[in-house]
Amino acid sequence: MKRVVLCLFMILGSIWADAQVRYTIRYSETTRPYVVVTIEPATPLPSPVQFIMPRSIPGSYSISRYDLFLDSVVAINSQGRRIPMTRHSTDAPRWEYKGEGGALMRIEYRVHIDKMERLNTPSDASLLRPGFAGILNYSVFGWIEGLDREPVQCRVETNGDWPIFSTNVPSVIPASGSLVFKADDYAALADGQIFIGPRFRVKSYPGKMPLYVVSYSQTMDEYLDDYGSMGVECMGILDNYFGELPFPHYTLVLSKALQPDGRVAPAFAMEHRNSSTFFGDTSGMQTMPLTLDSRSRRIN
């Protein structure tokens, strides 16, 4: 009897461990200028079901209407039918599935990154360039109401030989074609970033914990080692002050790109849970090592 009970607990434990909200994001240059996102709950959901896209993000000083860049928001029900979801009558960033023909199996939508980049500032927009996609997760991932605290599995799919880097699970050897990772919940997923394509570079630097520098620069390569060494030094200062570090790894994300219509994009930084992103245009890029004096001024 004890063995039967033990087996039942093991089976149920396996089921519960696998009970995750599954996100998938797909991008290749054949799908430009948008990415395709699907969200699949762990079990089919009875209607009504609400899908929400964020307008406010931690660290931002204004409303970011990422809902403006979505289209083709559909629910796939238990009969396999694709049913357009209904936008909320108040223009809130919500869509509803009202249960036509069965329980909801998954939600699918497109995010137009080109439109996002034209209407948002560079620090609030994902980025698409030939051979590259730089994704701010909160700009493309919404959530199903009531499931934002559930464990998440995310799959990134792209061309078969294209590298993929995620700040949620950083690696100096990026996956190719497909990457699957887990996050504690929607908030942990949304505060990450994803780089896709052959045009980015990544390096790692040893220190108190693994530190990574991942860089996309549209016109020429940046010199990364000063970023890495300063990052390691700052982590040491933080550890000495608090006696511990609040994250298992950290990534410095560098994104330098020519802007639409020749706009100027002053340097700007955004902090996240396990990373910081440094945005800007291609002016003032660091292509050579800093002098000791310049390095001291920058780190202070």
Side-chain angles (χ1 to χ4, degrees), residues 27-48:
Y27 173 74
S28 70
E29 290 202 315
T30 60
T31 67
R32 291 186 73 198
Y34 55 81
V35 297
V36 178
V37 176
T38 62
I39 307 174
E40 182 180 352
T43 58
L45 298 178
S47 62

Side-chain angles (χ1 to χ4, degrees), residues 12-28:
L12 290 173
S14 176
I15 293 172
W16 291 330
D18 196 46
Q20 301 163 345
V21 182
R22 289 181 168 83
Y23 283 76
T24 302
I25 179 169
R26 298 180 177 89
Y27 173 74
S28 70

Side-chain angles (χ1 to χ4, degrees), residues 201 215-224 227 254-258 267 279-290 298:
R201 302 157 59 218
S215 168
Y216 169 74
S217 182
Q218 188 170 351
T219 55
M220 65 181 70
D221 288 344
E222 276 207 280
Y223 182 77
L224 303 184
Y227 291 103
L254 313 178
S255 180
K256 308 294 177 63
L258 299 172
F279 306 89
D281 56 32
T282 58
S283 62
M285 286 195 309
Q286 183 185 340
T287 58
M288 299 176 62
L290 294 172
R298 181 175 291 188

Side-chain angles (χ1 to χ4, degrees), residues 10-85:
M10 291 176 65
I11 292 170
L12 290 173
S14 176
I15 293 172
W16 291 330
D18 196 46
Q20 301 163 345
V21 182
R22 289 181 168 83
Y23 283 76
T24 302
I25 179 169
R26 298 180 177 89
Y27 173 74
S28 70
E29 290 202 315
T30 60
T31 67
R32 291 186 73 198
Y34 55 81
V35 297
V36 178
V37 176
T38 62
I39 307 174
E40 182 180 352
T43 58
L45 298 178
S47 62
V49 179
Q50 299 277 340
F51 166 68
I52 306 166
M53 196 67 191
R55 282 184 177 173
S56 178
I57 58 175
S60 181
Y61 301 103
S62 61
I63 296 297
S64 299
R65 293 200 59 185
Y66 292 119
D67 52 296
L68 292 177
F69 314 122
L70 271 62
D71 71 7
S72 303
V73 184
V74 300
I76 293 85
N77 67 16
S78 56
Q79 298 178 359
R81 293 176 56 200
R82 298 173 61 87
I83 299 173
M85 298 184 72

